[in-house]
Amino acid sequence: MKNKLNKIEANEYINEFFKDIKIKTPKEIKKIKRLAMRHSIKLSEKRKLFCKKCFSSKLEVLDIKNKIKRVRCDGCGGISRWKIGR
């Protein structure tokens, strides 16, 4: 990915990247997030696939209670909480 990408190409590249997120390293995930920020592309639901602190893709669901999903990162031990349902 040495050449410059326009916004449409960058969006396609990001979507391809997230198809097999479990085998990616935190360094690669951080680069993709920076690419999305550079082109003002929202990651929306994709941002829940990696830890926001260490960018690891090894997440474990702790519990779901009162429409809140708690997820723990196996890399750093950080806990994220997400609202689910409407």
Side-chain angles (χ1 to χ4, degrees):
M1 196 184 78
K2 297 290 182 192
N3 57 350
K4 303 233 178 196
L5 300 174
N6 62 24
K7 188 170 183 174
I8 296 168
E9 292 170 341
N11 198 7
E12 291 172 0
Y13 186 78
I14 290 168
N15 288 334
E16 284 295 318
F17 179 86
F18 277 101
K19 286 185 179 174
D20 54 351
I21 187 75
K22 291 295 182 185
I23 61 171
K24 304 295 184 181
T25 64
K27 191 174 182 181
E28 293 171 325
I29 295 171
K30 193 171 186 176
K31 284 182 182 180
I32 286 296
K33 185 177 177 193
R34 287 178 53 88
L35 177 70
M37 289 191 301
R38 193 177 313 125
H39 289 284
S40 300
I41 298 171
K42 291 186 178 183
L43 293 179
S44 57
E45 290 296 315
K46 295 178 188 111
R47 67 190 173 100
K48 296 179 183 181
L49 300 175
F50 59 90
C51 177
K52 64 182 179 180
K53 296 172 185 165
C54 70
F55 300 101
S56 172
S57 62
K58 297 178 178 104
L59 300 175
E60 172 188 355
V61 176
L62 293 177
D63 64 353
I64 299 172
K65 195 182 332 182
N66 295 333
K67 297 184 181 178
I68 303 271
K69 180 179 180 181
R70 289 184 3 166
V71 179
R72 182 177 62 218
C73 174
D74 289 338
C76 68
I79 295 177
S80 299
R81 296 170 19 153
W82 302 102
K83 284 185 181 178
I84 57 172
R86 291 197 178 241

